Amino acid sequence: MRIFKVLFLLLMCFTLIFSQESKTLKLKKISGEIEIDGIIDETWSVADSISDFVQFQPFHGNSPTEQTVAKLLSNETSLYCLMICYDNSGSAEYQTGTLDDSGGDIVSLMLDTFGDKRSAYKFGVAASGTRVDARLLDDARNRDYNWDGIWFADSKKYPWGYVIEMEIPYKSIQYDKNLTEWGLDFDRWIPNNNEDIYWCEYEENQGQRISKFGRLIFDNFQPTISGLNLEFYPVGLIKAELLDNDKYKFEPQAGIDIFYNPSQALTFQLTGNPDFAQIEADPFDFNISRYESYFSERRPFFIEGQEVFNPSGKERNTGFYSPLELFYSRRIGKKLPDGKEVPLLLGTRAFGRFGEWEYGGFMAMTGETEYHSNGETKTEKEAYFASARVKKQIFENSSIGMLYVGKYEEGNTYGVLDIDGALRTDNWQLSYQFARSFKNNDGDFASSIGFVNFGENWANLFRGRFIGNKFDIDQLGFVPWKGTAYATGITGPRWYYEDGYVRQMMLYGGGYAYYEHNDLFTDYGGLIGINFNFRDGWGFEINSDLGKSRDNGVEYNSFSVTLSSWYNTSAKWNANLYGGYQHTYNFSRNYLAFYSWVGSSFSWNALNTLSLGTSFDTYIEGNPDGNIEDIVFNARPFFSFTPVNDLNIKMYIDNVFVRSTNRMERIIFGFFFAYNFLPKSWIYFAVNEYHDRSPEFDSMGNVLSNRMHVTSRAAVFKIKYLYYL
């Protein structure tokens, strides 16, 4: 009987391998060009085509509800893609949008141009013609939507559906000229059916994997085009800022960004006199912990092309394992206590690959700045930042790498060196990171490890972290938890249902231990949770933990319960609802009490050109007597108007209301206009205005009554134009 089981398993493996190998498409070469207009030219009749798509969701493995045909052709300079999308129900969504910000029906082409089965380009086009591009990383476990390429697309609506055409110039992407085939997949998203279909078939418990792509076979030719690959971005900027005397300061500036690809495997980037001011204010953050808050990077220079500098192992879908962030770019050009920003004078980087190696280097220089803090005049010294990274692919789909980050200023040297990597198969990944910090003559060690395994019917997850007492990289990265160590593990069954209302369910339980040197105590406890996903696009997760803790000398029974839910049941709107309750130590008030929060976000496409929405958060602090100490409310309503593709007008109002004072304590108004008039060429206009109740003085230096007043107002007009050689 055991022999028959082994033979059956071998047969299933052979069937899977054969089915994946059979997914091939031949790329034929033509002599002319194809006009990108959504009209199916006669030239497309010679192209090889595919139409055997399969559902990934909501009914995994089933045939799609709508037919899709994809074709590819090539000439000497470009790859062309045609996707014919039938829509018998007449329910396709045609929503306007901007680059990487699009809704409605959408199709995608994905290309593994180095054949490494680990990274790929993604080119997406909505039914309305809006473009989306990204890099798929770590076998599609992560996405980098900060990558922007130079390519062209258009769409056209027909009574029976819509057509998408794309042109991708070979000089706009990097690839291995020695390959005779690339990895290939297509995707179509049909939001009204909550339906996601691919050309290649993937396991439901794993998601998309580049290692399971089909094959794009070059038919008697290979792309070899390599042009000068030089991009110039002159930047013109005018800033208007309100001063204390109610007058405005106008600052015209100019800068330049340069991209240069001397080969298909190497990129240089240089920026001179850049403006790194954020267009949109950071969201309000309510923090009762003893550690600083984290804010995402929003400045383009720091987020474009960062993939090689990222540590291995971070999972986009689960978020369970998060490696230490040793390079936190918001430390560069940071804001000072009096609101000034440290000027960044020059920035440059290079990144590329050589065989199975990837490498990158980064350098930036900031200027000397005087600022005021607590009535004293201080100086932020001129500084140099540098980073270097190498990463090697091992065992086909795993990786190992090293990272160095440093800061140098007069009298001080800061640095950190790490070794990190990930061992992975289709359904599990073991990630690791070991780091050593340097601060002049001091330093210490830190490490992080994570294991994620999603089997067909069971999941196992583990993560751990250790940070030494003197591991200080506050000038470089974001690791504020000095002198701590923790370990968390959970396990539990998962159920996938082939039909019915419930798509997937998971139960899990586990335990945790958390040591803090500040308290000389190890918190410990257990946790349980449940997760539901439903076929019509909504789901929820509830989890709870119970344990023993000690903070600031107070030992207590800790407890928490949290809820998160998501609602994507319509192409017209989506929402999230979340909340929680904790019995914990409040470091902002220095006592033990309960803390609770509830929040939601909502976005509604009132028209194909207009979106309305808001976020709303409530933070409830208790006191040691069990009563409510205070409640803080934060809302951020917005509207976003996109009359035509690639032109967007957005406005938001971020406000904070405090129950104890019974008044609004802060209001931020933001207005943003953006027009992407050509590939990588933009016009921006932004206005930000801050109101709060900070101390206010009259002309004689007398303190005025506490009132809401303007503390900052700034406007920026910026134009960025691409010269592409």
Side-chain angles (χ1 to χ4, degrees), residues 284 614-617 633-637 653-657 668:
F284 175 73
T614 188
S615 61
F616 185 82
D617 293 282
F633 304 91
N634 174 232
R636 195 180 179 105
I653 301 176
D654 190 311
N655 53 80
V656 178
F657 182 89
I668 299 176

Side-chain angles (χ1 to χ4, degrees), residues 271-309:
T271 184
N273 193 32
D275 173 73
F276 288 142
Q278 288 185 211
I279 294 297
E280 187 173 330
D282 289 318
F284 175 73
D285 179 71
F286 194 86
N287 188 352
I288 66 167
S289 78
R290 59 165 36 125
Y291 303 109
E292 68 171 305
S293 298
Y294 179 87
F295 294 99
S296 299
E297 180 62 85
R298 298 173 179 225
R299 300 169 294 179
F301 176 78
F302 291 109
I303 58 179
E304 294 175 0
Q306 279 294 98
E307 60 186 77
V308 70
F309 296 95

Side-chain angles (χ1 to χ4, degrees), residues 351-399:
F351 48 91
R353 63 169 70 208
F354 182 77
E356 295 180 341
W357 290 87
E358 294 180 65
Y359 55 89
F362 170 88
M363 188 181 74
M365 181 176 69
T366 58
E368 184 176 294
T369 309
E370 286 191 351
Y371 64 97
H372 299 282
S373 178
N374 297 323
E376 297 182 21
T377 300
K378 299 183 179 180
T379 300
E380 180 76 14
K381 298 178 181 179
E382 180 182 83
Y384 297 86
F385 295 82
S387 178
R389 171 76 163 161
V390 292
K391 184 163 58 175
K392 187 181 189 300
Q393 185 175 346
I394 59 174
F395 307 131
E396 291 190 355
N397 200 21
S398 300
S399 63

Side-chain angles (χ1 to χ4, degrees), residues 521-559:
F521 188 82
T522 301
D523 300 353
Y524 61 91
L527 57 92
I528 56 172
I530 186 170
N531 177 289
F532 274 89
N533 278 278
F534 301 95
R535 279 204 158 79
D536 60 355
W538 78 282
F540 68 87
E541 182 170 0
I542 301 174
N543 58 61
S544 179
D545 65 73
L546 177 66
K548 277 282 190 182
S549 298
R550 184 164 73 189
D551 290 303
N552 276 2
V554 179
E555 192 168 331
Y556 59 96
N557 294 320
S558 60
F559 168 76

Side-chain angles (χ1 to χ4, degrees), residues 44-281:
W44 284 110
S45 62
V46 304
D48 195 7
S49 67
I50 59 97
S51 59
D52 51 338
F53 284 76
V54 64
Q55 281 194 46
F56 181 76
Q57 69 173 38
F59 297 99
H60 182 260
N62 285 12
S63 297
T65 59
E66 302 286 359
Q67 184 184 5
T68 308
V69 178
K71 297 185 177 185
L72 294 177
L73 284 173
S74 177
N75 62 14
E76 188 69 25
T77 61
S78 297
L79 174 71
Y80 295 94
C81 175
L82 171 73
M83 296 194 71
I84 305 171
C85 303
Y86 293 90
D87 177 33
N88 294 317
S89 66
S91 61
E93 287 287 327
Y94 298 85
Q95 297 173 12
T96 57
T98 58
L99 180 66
D100 294 337
D101 186 9
S102 180
D105 287 56
I106 190 169
V107 299
S108 299
L109 162 69
M110 289 149 285
L111 300 167
D112 174 8
T113 59
F114 282 93
D116 60 13
K117 298 185 178 181
R118 184 167 50 91
S119 61
Y121 290 100
K122 177 177 179 177
F123 303 92
V125 185
S128 65
T130 309
R131 297 180 305 124
V132 177
D133 53 20
R135 290 279 292 157
L136 308 186
L137 310 171
D138 298 328
D139 203 8
R141 288 174 169 84
N142 288 296
R143 308 279 196 271
D144 178 14
Y145 284 95
N146 299 309
W147 179 82
D148 291 329
I150 301 174
W151 57 289
F152 309 92
D154 203 353
S155 67
K156 187 172 179 61
K157 186 178 180 180
Y158 294 90
W160 44 263
Y162 62 94
V163 170
I164 299 292
E165 282 188 305
M166 310 181 205
E167 179 187 359
I168 303 164
Y170 287 119
K171 66 179 182 179
S172 297
I173 59 176
Q174 294 182 313
Y175 58 91
D176 186 342
K177 293 182 181 180
N178 297 316
L179 295 181
T180 58
E181 62 181 56
W182 290 350
L184 174 68
D185 198 11
F186 300 94
D187 178 26
R188 180 180 176 187
W189 168 243
I190 308 172
N192 271 300
N193 298 341
N194 195 37
E195 185 174 334
D196 198 11
I197 64 174
Y198 290 92
W199 178 44
C200 300
E201 189 169 359
Y202 305 105
E203 297 299 320
E204 191 169 24
N205 62 303
Q206 298 171 13
Q208 186 186 31
R209 291 289 181 261
I210 298 170
S211 54
K212 294 185 177 181
F213 273 16
R215 300 160 59 206
L216 175 64
I217 301 173
F218 303 131
D219 190 10
N220 296 322
F221 88 101
Q222 291 173 253
T224 58
I225 196 73
S226 60
L228 187 56
N229 300 318
L230 184 61
E231 301 176 16
F232 287 94
Y233 299 92
V235 179
L237 181 75
I238 298 177
K239 295 178 68 174
E241 188 172 2
L242 180 66
L243 303 178
D244 293 337
N245 57 7
D246 289 333
K247 294 183 179 180
Y248 285 88
K249 176 184 178 183
F250 291 88
E251 287 186 276
Q253 295 182 22
I256 191 167
D257 293 336
I258 299 173
F259 285 82
Y260 176 45
N261 295 332
S263 74
Q264 289 294 337
L266 178 62
T267 297
F268 287 107
Q269 182 180 1
L270 174 70
T271 184
N273 193 32
D275 173 73
F276 288 142
Q278 288 185 211
I279 294 297
E280 187 173 330

